[in-house]
Amino acid sequence: MKRCLFLLAACVSLALSSGQAYAQRYLPGMKGVELRGGFAEGSKSPMNWYTGFAVSGYTKRANHWVAGAEYLLRNYDYRGNAIPRAQFTAEGGYFLKFLSDPTKTFYLSLGGSALAGYETVNWGERRMPDGSTLLDGDAFIYGGALTLELETYITDRIVLLASVRERALWGSSLGVFTTQFGLGLKFILN
């Protein structure tokens, strides 16, 4: 009996290790929903963060497009007071996969996106607590972003995202460039 169980376990182990089957990933037409967030660099406050939501779809050769919305909050110090700068942006972009492993578990992509939105400084309040007046005001912003993104499959339907992004937005009176570091989850729908 022990010999039979040992042979059965050996056969199952050989069958599982010899030719592993992986689910089909990055097929053209597959769509997913992304939830992402992280930290933004560019001012001295540690509480600069962003969050976003996007829909993405895969094309040929494991490339993908993305369309979404993002909220970014950066705080600036003024005489001990935090002055918030909030950006609400819409995004449309395309990512090219340039590196992956043979098991199709890790993908590294480089993407470019067009961004447009609205920026508010101190939530539209121009008067500061000490009586001074802000010269910077609310504005429409536009520009783009360059993103390096790592995707790794946790399961066949859940993907962990890690990204580094450089945003360049014109129309703002406070600066053009913002670097973002973030994580996210993508849920594959079909």
Side-chain angles (χ1 to χ4, degrees):
M1 182 68 179
K2 287 183 183 179
R3 195 175 261 178
C4 253
L5 287 175
F6 176 74
L7 285 174
L8 182 63
C11 288
V12 169
S13 296
L14 285 174
L16 290 176
S17 65
S18 64
Q20 291 185 355
Y22 297 98
Q24 295 180 350
R25 297 173 177 167
Y26 270 74
L27 294 177
M30 287 178 67
K31 291 184 177 53
V33 175
E34 300 179 17
L35 302 172
R36 52 188 167 183
F39 296 98
E41 180 187 48
S43 67
K44 296 180 180 177
S45 173
M47 291 307 297
N48 298 320
W49 55 275
Y50 74 96
T51 186
F53 170 85
V55 176
S56 63
Y58 296 104
T59 63
K60 294 179 182 178
R61 297 187 184 100
N63 299 327
H64 65 280
W65 55 264
V66 65
E70 195 170 271
Y71 170 75
L72 178 126
L73 179 68
R74 290 174 59 185
N75 291 295
Y76 294 87
D77 185 48
Y78 173 74
R79 296 185 182 174
N81 295 321
I83 300 173
R85 173 179 129 180
Q87 294 178 340
F88 304 89
T89 54
E91 168 187 9
Y94 194 77
F95 288 73
L96 299 171
K97 177 209 59 131
F98 67 90
L99 188 64
S100 70
D101 68 328
T103 63
K104 295 187 177 185
T105 304
F106 296 98
Y107 290 89
L108 200 56
S109 302
L110 184 65
S113 300
L115 301 170
Y118 189 74
E119 174 183 82
T120 179
V121 179
N122 203 26
W123 303 111
E125 182 64 38
R126 296 180 74 94
R127 181 73 62 188
M128 298 300 294
D130 65 355
S132 61
T133 303
L134 280 175
L135 298 178
D136 299 323
D138 299 352
F140 288 99
I141 52 177
Y142 58 93
L146 187 62
T147 307
L148 179 65
E149 183 176 73
L150 172 70
E151 296 184 60
T152 180
Y153 277 80
I154 299 171
T155 69
D156 290 331
R157 299 263 181 208
I158 300 174
V159 182
L160 179 65
L161 307 170
S163 65
V164 176
R165 167 182 267 201
E166 184 67 35
R167 291 170 33 139
L169 293 171
W170 289 272
S172 170
S173 56
L174 293 176
V176 175
F177 296 101
T178 303
T179 304
Q180 297 174 313
F181 305 96
L183 293 174
L185 284 175
K186 181 187 293 186
F187 301 96
I188 304 297
L189 301 177
N190 60 349

